[in-house]
Short mmCIF file of all heavy atoms in Angstrom, two decimals:
data_model
loop_
_atom_site.label_atom_id
_atom_site.label_comp_id
_atom_site.label_asym_id
_atom_site.label_seq_id
_atom_site.Cartn_x
_atom_site.Cartn_y
_atom_site.Cartn_z
N PRO F 1 33.74 69.50 23.76
CA PRO F 1 35.07 69.67 23.17
C PRO F 1 36.07 68.58 23.56
O PRO F 1 36.98 68.27 22.80
CB PRO F 1 35.53 71.03 23.71
CG PRO F 1 34.25 71.77 23.94
CD PRO F 1 33.27 70.71 24.42
N SER F 2 35.88 67.96 24.71
CA SER F 2 36.79 66.89 25.15
C SER F 2 36.51 65.54 24.49
O SER F 2 37.31 64.61 24.62
CB SER F 2 36.69 66.74 26.67
OG SER F 2 35.36 66.42 27.05
N ASP F 3 35.42 65.44 23.76
CA ASP F 3 35.04 64.19 23.09
C ASP F 3 35.75 64.11 21.73
O ASP F 3 35.65 65.03 20.92
CB ASP F 3 33.52 64.16 22.88
CG ASP F 3 33.01 62.82 22.38
OD1 ASP F 3 33.63 62.25 21.45
OD2 ASP F 3 31.98 62.37 22.90
N PRO F 4 36.47 63.03 21.44
CA PRO F 4 37.19 62.90 20.16
C PRO F 4 36.30 63.03 18.92
O PRO F 4 36.79 63.32 17.84
CB PRO F 4 37.81 61.51 20.23
CG PRO F 4 37.90 61.20 21.67
CD PRO F 4 36.72 61.89 22.31
N ARG F 5 34.98 62.85 19.07
CA ARG F 5 34.08 63.01 17.93
C ARG F 5 33.73 64.48 17.66
O ARG F 5 33.18 64.80 16.62
CB ARG F 5 32.80 62.23 18.17
CG ARG F 5 33.02 60.72 18.27
CD ARG F 5 31.78 60.01 18.71
NE ARG F 5 31.48 60.39 20.10
CZ ARG F 5 30.41 60.02 20.76
NH1 ARG F 5 29.51 59.25 20.19
NH2 ARG F 5 30.21 60.40 22.01
N SER F 6 34.06 65.36 18.58
CA SER F 6 33.74 66.78 18.45
C SER F 6 34.56 67.43 17.35
O SER F 6 35.76 67.17 17.20
CB SER F 6 34.03 67.49 19.79
OG SER F 6 33.96 68.88 19.62
N ALA F 7 33.94 68.33 16.60
CA ALA F 7 34.65 69.08 15.55
C ALA F 7 35.73 69.98 16.14
O ALA F 7 36.66 70.36 15.43
CB ALA F 7 33.67 69.92 14.74
N VAL F 8 35.63 70.31 17.40
CA VAL F 8 36.62 71.18 18.03
C VAL F 8 37.58 70.41 18.95
O VAL F 8 38.34 71.01 19.70
CB VAL F 8 35.97 72.36 18.80
CG1 VAL F 8 35.22 73.26 17.84
CG2 VAL F 8 35.05 71.87 19.90
N PHE F 9 37.56 69.09 18.87
CA PHE F 9 38.54 68.30 19.62
C PHE F 9 39.92 68.63 19.07
O PHE F 9 40.10 68.80 17.86
CB PHE F 9 38.24 66.80 19.45
CG PHE F 9 39.10 65.91 20.30
CD1 PHE F 9 38.94 65.87 21.67
CD2 PHE F 9 40.06 65.10 19.72
CE1 PHE F 9 39.72 65.04 22.47
CE2 PHE F 9 40.84 64.27 20.50
CZ PHE F 9 40.68 64.24 21.87
N ALA F 10 40.89 68.75 19.94
CA ALA F 10 42.22 69.26 19.57
C ALA F 10 42.82 68.62 18.32
O ALA F 10 43.39 69.32 17.48
CB ALA F 10 43.17 69.10 20.75
N THR F 11 42.68 67.34 18.16
CA THR F 11 43.30 66.69 16.99
C THR F 11 42.42 66.74 15.74
O THR F 11 42.87 66.32 14.67
CB THR F 11 43.63 65.22 17.30
OG1 THR F 11 42.43 64.53 17.65
CG2 THR F 11 44.65 65.12 18.42
N ARG F 12 41.22 67.27 15.85
CA ARG F 12 40.32 67.34 14.69
C ARG F 12 40.17 68.74 14.12
O ARG F 12 39.68 68.91 13.01
CB ARG F 12 38.94 66.82 15.07
CG ARG F 12 38.97 65.34 15.36
CD ARG F 12 37.65 64.72 15.23
NE ARG F 12 37.00 65.09 14.00
CZ ARG F 12 35.73 64.85 13.73
NH1 ARG F 12 35.00 64.25 14.61
NH2 ARG F 12 35.19 65.22 12.61
N VAL F 13 40.57 69.75 14.86
CA VAL F 13 40.36 71.12 14.42
C VAL F 13 40.95 71.36 13.03
O VAL F 13 40.28 71.89 12.14
CB VAL F 13 40.92 72.14 15.45
CG1 VAL F 13 40.93 73.54 14.88
CG2 VAL F 13 40.10 72.10 16.72
N MET F 14 42.18 70.96 12.82
CA MET F 14 42.82 71.18 11.51
C MET F 14 42.05 70.50 10.39
O MET F 14 41.81 71.08 9.35
CB MET F 14 44.27 70.70 11.53
CG MET F 14 45.16 71.54 12.42
SD MET F 14 45.26 73.26 11.89
CE MET F 14 46.15 73.09 10.37
N GLU F 15 41.65 69.27 10.62
CA GLU F 15 40.90 68.52 9.60
C GLU F 15 39.57 69.18 9.30
O GLU F 15 39.22 69.40 8.14
CB GLU F 15 40.68 67.09 10.11
CG GLU F 15 39.77 66.25 9.26
CD GLU F 15 39.43 64.94 9.94
OE1 GLU F 15 40.21 64.45 10.77
OE2 GLU F 15 38.35 64.41 9.64
N ASP F 16 38.82 69.51 10.33
CA ASP F 16 37.49 70.08 10.14
C ASP F 16 37.55 71.49 9.56
O ASP F 16 36.80 71.83 8.65
CB ASP F 16 36.70 70.06 11.45
CG ASP F 16 36.32 68.64 11.86
OD1 ASP F 16 36.22 67.78 10.97
OD2 ASP F 16 36.12 68.41 13.05
N CYS F 17 38.45 72.32 10.07
CA CYS F 17 38.55 73.70 9.59
C CYS F 17 39.12 73.75 8.18
O CYS F 17 38.78 74.63 7.39
CB CYS F 17 39.42 74.54 10.52
SG CYS F 17 38.72 74.71 12.18
N ALA F 18 39.99 72.80 7.85
CA ALA F 18 40.62 72.77 6.54
C ALA F 18 39.63 72.55 5.40
O ALA F 18 39.90 72.93 4.27
CB ALA F 18 41.71 71.71 6.49
N ARG F 19 38.47 71.97 5.70
CA ARG F 19 37.47 71.79 4.65
C ARG F 19 37.20 73.10 3.94
O ARG F 19 37.03 73.14 2.72
CB ARG F 19 36.17 71.23 5.22
CG ARG F 19 36.22 69.78 5.58
CD ARG F 19 34.87 69.34 6.05
NE ARG F 19 34.41 70.30 7.07
CZ ARG F 19 33.59 70.02 8.05
NH1 ARG F 19 33.07 68.83 8.14
NH2 ARG F 19 33.24 70.92 8.93
N CYS F 20 37.16 74.19 4.68
CA CYS F 20 36.93 75.51 4.07
C CYS F 20 38.22 76.30 3.93
O CYS F 20 38.45 76.94 2.90
CB CYS F 20 35.94 76.32 4.92
SG CYS F 20 34.31 75.57 5.03
N HIS F 21 39.06 76.27 4.95
CA HIS F 21 40.27 77.10 4.95
C HIS F 21 41.31 76.62 3.96
O HIS F 21 42.23 77.38 3.64
CB HIS F 21 40.85 77.19 6.37
CG HIS F 21 40.05 78.12 7.24
ND1 HIS F 21 40.35 79.45 7.37
CD2 HIS F 21 38.95 77.89 7.99
CE1 HIS F 21 39.47 80.01 8.19
NE2 HIS F 21 38.60 79.10 8.57
N ALA F 22 41.19 75.43 3.42
CA ALA F 22 42.10 74.93 2.39
C ALA F 22 41.49 75.06 0.99
O ALA F 22 42.11 74.68 0.01
CB ALA F 22 42.49 73.49 2.66
N ASP F 23 40.30 75.61 0.91
CA ASP F 23 39.60 75.79 -0.35
C ASP F 23 40.02 77.14 -0.96
O ASP F 23 39.52 78.19 -0.57
CB ASP F 23 38.09 75.76 -0.11
CG ASP F 23 37.26 75.88 -1.37
OD1 ASP F 23 37.74 76.44 -2.38
OD2 ASP F 23 36.11 75.42 -1.34
N ALA F 24 40.95 77.11 -1.90
CA ALA F 24 41.52 78.34 -2.46
C ALA F 24 40.45 79.24 -3.09
O ALA F 24 40.50 80.47 -2.93
CB ALA F 24 42.59 77.99 -3.50
N LYS F 25 39.48 78.66 -3.77
CA LYS F 25 38.42 79.45 -4.40
C LYS F 25 37.60 80.20 -3.34
O LYS F 25 37.29 81.38 -3.48
CB LYS F 25 37.52 78.54 -5.23
CG LYS F 25 36.44 79.27 -5.98
CD LYS F 25 35.62 78.30 -6.82
CE LYS F 25 34.48 79.01 -7.51
NZ LYS F 25 33.65 78.08 -8.27
#
């Protein structure tokens, strides 16, 4: 989680989670 390449790195969570959570359908 402390690695910037991790999907759960603090600055990436929004980007990675938004792939699905921003999909209105």
